[in-house]
Amino acid sequence: MSALADFVSQIESSSLAMTIRDSTILTGSLSGIHLIGLTLLVGSVLVSSAGLAGLIVNDQPVAELTRATRRASLVGLIVSLTSGLLLVSFRLGMSASTQAFRIKMLTLLAAALFHFTVYVPAARGQRSAVPAKLAGAIAFLLWF
């Protein structure tokens, strides 16, 4: 067995993963928390991206709008990543083998990389690899 397979097996057989697997209430609660995290993350990013892209009219400067949503984005990312890892812990091998899960994870990775390397500098009015409106439009599409 490979080192990666051993690692996945250890995670799946951990007491935490088994507790989550065996508890409908815990799994349901984690799913609800995961959805709240995703709502915070995607909702705040979509609002700030739409503002940066010029898709919504707002009487606030764009930098102020993006600053206002930054904390919700960070909290949402932390909550959704933590709860998502816990939810997948008892079925990590099965999940990782499905195409839908891999596409979801690659899309999340692409959106996060774009967000921190291109979108954030553009939103702060700093030099960015692409113009601010384009960065907002691309971020909107990636997170959507």
Side-chain angles (χ1 to χ4, degrees), residues 31-110:
S31 295
I33 291 168
H34 189 64
L35 288 175
I36 290 169
L38 286 174
T39 301
L40 275 172
L41 172 62
V42 176
S44 60
V45 170
L46 289 179
V47 167
S48 64
S49 297
L52 188 62
L55 298 175
I56 58 174
V57 178
N58 194 345
D59 57 352
Q60 295 177 288
V62 172
E64 193 174 315
L65 174 66
T66 59
R67 190 176 335 107
T69 60
R70 200 169 296 137
R71 182 169 286 142
S73 298
L74 184 58
V75 169
L77 180 63
I78 291 167
V79 168
S80 61
L81 283 177
T82 304
S83 58
L85 288 171
L86 290 170
L87 283 167
V88 78
S89 65
F90 62 90
R91 58 177 181 242
L92 185 57
M94 181 186 72
S95 296
S97 68
T98 65
Q99 177 122 5
F101 184 80
R102 287 188 296 233
I103 290 171
K104 178 182 174 180
M105 293 301 106
L106 286 173
T107 305
L108 175 63
L109 179 64

Side-chain angles (χ1 to χ4, degrees), residues 4 8 27 30 39 48 51 57 62 73 98-99 110 113 118-119 121 135 144:
L4 181 60
V8 168
T27 302
L30 282 171
T39 301
S48 64
V57 178
V62 172
S73 298
T98 65
Q99 177 122 5
L113 284 173
V118 178
Y119 174 80
F144 188 72

